[in-house]
Amino acid sequence: MIPALLLPAALAALLAVAVPLAIHIARRTETRTIDFAALRWLNPNPKPVQRLQLDERLLLGVRIALIVAIAVALARPVLRPSGDSGPVVAIAPGIDAAQVADNGQRRVWLAPDFPGADRAAPPATADLASLIRQLDAELPAGTPLTLVVPPAFDADGGRLVLSRKVTWKVAPAAATPSAKPERTPPPLAVRYAAERAEAVQYFRASAGAYAAPDQAPAFDAAPVDQPLPAQAKTLIWLSGAPLSDTALSWIERGGVVLLAHDAPSPVEGTKSVVWRDAAAEPLAVEGRYGQGRVLQLTRPLAPKSLPALVEPDFPDRLWALLDPSAAPARVAAQDYAPALGEVGPALAFNPHPLDLRPWLAVLIAVLFAGERWLATRRKRPVMA
């Protein structure tokens, strides 16, 4: 085990040791004068002897130890394991460990806590890239690392950059991942002003395009003064009037609304463009309101101003606008081999250090109790 301090700058608190030293130097133990007859022949004002004297040294030592313990605790002391620098083979769950050659290396699963590969395979995880980074951070710098991964897995960002050069092996997975469920089209609720009832047809047609041939469209259209359906998730607001308080509360709880171009928007912050035409001109912008999303068209709902209304792909564009799908994250392992590079300080070698602060807390409590007992006991030493 190697002792270390995670916050060594906190040792500056050791300067507080000067406080009890100054108190004990400046303060003299209480003296008691005893008169007796022979004293009347002595000089009443003798020249004092100047010398440094520390009284109650045990109490002083306990106070200094208390301050030192507090300063060390603030510096976050830990004990780091020295680490095993032997080669490590990390196998992704879903790969048969028997097909990976065992040459005496330490074999672990790429799973939380990195259990040994001699145990039963843990369930597959979507955090494979994150676990690879964690394993790289927890191994000593000179440890050879071999990663055995399936042909494809979910990535969480850019290419892996590790602190060491690894052996990257792609092995067939024992089981194929289950297919992801199909996305369900959003049900459309439309609230419109009387003068804009004609624009409802475009959204009714989109809802019909979403529905299967033997299903009724998930569509609800009504004037603006009608309440929303209980299960509404998306709202089309075809009016130049402000949203009702009920609708605003619904958006704050996570609802999604598409406003007409002239409707007052509750969004006060910045808005981003989420839909552009072929000439890169903005057609819709988005902002956040509470936990919900507020979308707003930039043009009137008429084919002359917004030709996309009558284009065949308008239902798909509307669906992507109201319920955007997550960006694809699955990558081919052959193209995701880690690169060698500098890692940040947060990814430095850190093999689960043992925090010593709980033990220091006990020591501080004991020292504080001892200091209080020494400072308040009835039989403190008194100089005669």
Side-chain angles (χ1 to χ4, degrees), residues 46-320:
K47 186 177 181 180
V49 178
Q50 298 292 334
R51 65 175 181 175
L52 182 64
Q53 183 176 352
L54 294 174
D55 297 334
E56 297 186 88
R57 296 182 180 181
L58 178 58
L59 176 59
L60 174 61
V62 172
R63 286 175 173 172
I64 292 177
L66 178 60
I67 293 175
V68 171
I70 293 174
V72 173
L74 292 175
R76 299 180 61 186
V78 295
L79 285 178
R80 297 186 188 274
S82 56
D84 181 6
S85 58
V88 175
V89 176
I91 307 170
I95 295 176
D96 185 5
Q99 66 179 331
V100 181
D102 185 357
N103 297 320
Q105 309 101 322
R106 183 162 66 96
R107 293 152 54 95
V108 298
W109 291 111
L110 275 172
D113 298 328
F114 305 109
D118 54 342
R119 303 182 185 178
T125 175
D127 298 329
L128 199 61
S130 177
L131 287 168
I132 290 174
R133 295 188 185 95
Q134 180 183 349
L135 181 61
D136 175 58
E138 293 184 2
L139 292 177
T143 302
L145 176 59
T146 300
L147 298 171
V148 184
V149 296
F153 59 89
D154 292 332
D156 58 2
R159 186 181 178 186
L160 282 171
V161 178
L162 304 181
S163 64
R164 74 196 70 231
K165 188 175 181 180
V166 302
T167 302
W168 185 258
K169 293 184 177 180
V170 180
T176 58
S178 58
K180 294 183 179 179
E182 294 184 0
R183 296 177 63 221
T184 303
L188 300 181
V190 179
R191 294 296 179 264
Y192 59 90
E195 66 275 10
R196 301 189 183 181
E198 185 179 353
V200 177
Q201 60 179 320
Y202 304 113
F203 300 99
R204 181 180 285 110
S206 296
Y210 299 153
D214 56 345
Q215 290 181 339
F219 185 75
D220 178 86
V224 292
D225 57 351
Q226 297 297 313
L228 292 175
Q231 303 300 323
K233 296 182 179 179
T234 57
L235 169 63
I236 313 295
W237 186 260
L238 304 180
S239 173
L243 291 162
S244 64
D245 293 340
T246 304
L248 290 174
S249 300
W250 171 80
I251 298 171
E252 281 187 314
R253 296 192 300 270
V256 179
V257 62
L258 175 62
L259 301 176
H261 73 288
D262 56 348
S265 174
V267 178
E268 298 180 355
T270 58
K271 301 175 185 177
S272 57
V273 178
V274 291
W275 187 18
R276 297 180 184 270
D277 62 9
E281 294 294 329
L283 298 179
V285 295
E286 176 185 358
R288 303 294 300 187
Y289 186 74
Q291 298 180 3
R293 299 167 56 228
V294 177
L295 304 160
Q296 186 163 26
L297 297 172
T298 61
R299 303 178 186 179
L301 270 166
K304 183 178 179 180
S305 304
L306 193 62
L309 289 173
V310 293
E311 292 179 359
D313 62 347
F314 176 70
D316 295 332
R317 291 182 178 273
L318 181 63
W319 185 352

Side-chain angles (χ1 to χ4, degrees), residues 1-8 72 75-80 353-354 356:
M1 305 294 280
I2 304 172
L5 296 175
L6 299 183
L7 191 61
V72 173
R76 299 180 61 186
V78 295
L79 285 178
R80 297 186 188 274
L354 175 64
L356 297 180

